[in-house]
Amino acid sequence: MIAFVPTAVFFLWFCWGVRQDRRQFRNAVLLGLTVLCLSFALLTQVDRLPGDLAVLVYSLVFFVPALAVVLLGGFLIGNGLTMVRKEGRRPANLLSGLAGVGIFAVLALVVSADYLGGSHAYQSFLMAVVLVTGYVSFLFLCFLAYAFLYGRIRVRGDVDFVVVLGSGLIGGERVPPLLASRLRSGLAVQRKQADRGAEPPVLLVSGGQGPDEKLPEAEAMGRWLVAEGADPALVRQEARSRTTTENLRFSRRMMEEADDHYVCVVVTNNFHAFRAAMTARREGVRGQVIGSPTAAYFWPSATIREFVAVFWENRVVNGVLCGLLVALAVVVGMRW
């Protein structure tokens, strides 16, 4: 049973981290390490299991992930084509398709290694690609799994503010479907609070005016809410921010001015919820983040974009670790 000790340690650490603050990326990594250690622990016990259970363990640890990688690559390429068809050829819309192509490119390198042979330099290159890809893939799966769990959060207890983050306007003045989804969810939270007998929270819409916009996003959002039946007295606007960080920073200041002991809920789209939660934690916002629905075809590419942003925000640590993996590949490859 000693093999399961690392699993227990990482799991308890994960539970402690979630209890301390759900909005930490560290929780995602700890969840991934828990699953990874559990897989290794199960492999050490395979020889003690009945035949059918042993096959099941091997399938779960090796066959299922391998099949999932192939299916994921195909799905991402298909989604990339859908994104281009529906959203255009902007770089952000190419992410899912490029990720799918990248998966098959790495698989091709690995499968062809035995046939191509190659020098020590080639072996080092191949190992470096596998190690770095494995590291990035591990972080992405951690991000994906924990973001899914974080998205299951429900509003509990009384809240004083519902902060709705802006996301751009159509034609410089109209609320697009993506933003309307956020506003609809924010309005639903306010109404649920009122239905349970609590004082309705203030809807604080946050978004400044972009260079191609005719009015601040917050103003368009406020108009949309009032048109949908929101009480104008319970709608406030933060109209200076240009980024998610500024959305949360400026909104926090407004909430603190109104009530030093405020509790809030932040609303954004589901693919953005976990990264927004990490930003909220960094900016000292007292409240969790919930996600509103997003079109299914849009979600994969948007989620990859969120992960890339998180990876870049931690570029120093990730750069060092990737550099160490490349160095390890060079050393091992030269001795292979």
Side-chain angles (χ1 to χ4, degrees):
M1 298 303 292
I2 295 178
F4 290 92
V5 171
T7 302
V9 171
F10 282 122
F11 180 70
L12 291 174
W13 193 358
F14 165 74
C15 292
W16 179 81
V18 170
R19 182 176 177 80
Q20 291 293 109
D21 196 329
R22 299 172 183 173
R23 303 171 297 175
Q24 304 179 87
F25 187 69
R26 181 182 67 184
N27 296 337
V29 176
L30 290 172
L31 176 62
L33 290 173
T34 299
V35 175
L36 196 62
C37 289
L38 177 61
S39 299
F40 284 126
L42 289 174
L43 286 176
T44 65
Q45 305 300 311
V46 166
D47 58 344
R48 303 180 184 180
L49 298 175
D52 292 342
L53 284 179
V55 171
L56 177 62
V57 170
Y58 278 125
S59 297
L60 290 175
V61 175
F62 294 112
F63 177 72
V64 172
L67 178 62
V69 167
V70 175
L71 294 177
L72 177 62
F75 168 76
L76 289 175
I77 291 176
N79 178 256
L81 295 174
T82 301
M83 283 292 294
V84 170
R85 187 174 67 254
K86 293 190 175 184
E87 300 290 334
R89 297 184 179 181
R90 291 182 300 163
N93 297 333
L94 303 177
L95 285 176
S96 57
L98 291 175
V101 171
I103 287 174
F104 284 114
V106 173
L107 289 177
L109 277 175
V110 173
V111 171
S112 63
D114 289 338
Y115 298 98
L116 296 178
S119 62
H120 291 301
Y122 177 77
Q123 298 294 340
S124 297
F125 167 75
L126 179 62
M127 182 172 292
V129 169
V130 171
L131 289 177
V132 172
T133 302
Y135 170 72
V136 175
S137 299
F138 171 74
L139 288 184
F140 177 70
L141 290 175
C142 292
F143 175 84
L144 193 64
Y146 190 73
F148 175 80
L149 293 177
Y150 187 87
R152 308 278 75 76
I153 289 177
R154 295 294 178 265
V155 179
R156 296 178 180 177
D158 298 344
V159 297
D160 305 299
F161 293 90
V162 179
V163 181
V164 184
L165 305 184
S167 68
L169 303 175
I170 295 178
E173 59 183 340
R174 290 183 292 113
V175 170
L178 196 73
L179 183 52
S181 174
R182 301 182 184 188
L183 292 167
R184 201 171 289 114
S185 294
L187 191 56
V189 172
Q190 186 191 58
R191 289 171 174 169
K192 286 180 181 178
Q193 289 280 303
D195 290 344
R196 58 190 292 271
E199 182 177 349
V202 173
L203 285 163
L204 177 54
V205 290
S206 177
Q209 183 173 353
D212 59 344
E213 294 175 336
K214 300 176 182 178
L215 72 167
E217 293 171 13
E219 184 176 338
M221 295 161 72
R223 291 177 182 177
W224 189 97
L225 288 169
V226 172
E228 291 292 316
D231 183 352
L234 293 176
V235 178
R236 295 185 62 185
Q237 300 176 13
E238 181 287 298
R240 294 188 298 144
S241 56
R242 300 293 184 88
T243 64
T244 299
T245 297
E246 290 185 352
N247 285 149
L248 294 164
R249 181 180 301 159
F250 297 157
S251 296
R252 174 181 59 81
R253 292 173 184 172
M254 291 179 66
M255 290 186 288
E256 288 176 342
E257 289 174 0
D259 181 1
D260 284 339
H261 304 288
Y262 76 89
V263 176
C264 76
V265 169
V266 180
V267 182
T268 184
N269 287 94
N270 50 15
F271 63 82
H272 186 234
F274 183 37
R275 185 162 75 93
M278 289 187 284
T279 304
R281 176 177 181 270
R282 189 169 62 245
E283 291 299 321
V285 175
R286 290 198 295 275
Q288 299 295 335
V289 180
I290 62 173
S292 64
T294 306
Y297 78 87
F298 191 83
W299 184 86
S301 187
T303 301
I304 293 172
R305 186 171 67 243
E306 293 298 303
F307 171 72
V308 170
V310 172
F311 191 88
W312 180 251
E313 287 171 0
N314 298 277
R315 55 188 175 276
V316 175
V317 173
N318 289 321
V320 169
L321 290 175
C322 287
L324 290 175
L325 290 174
V326 171
L328 175 63
V330 170
V331 172
V332 174
M334 295 304 291
R335 296 182 178 180
W336 204 337

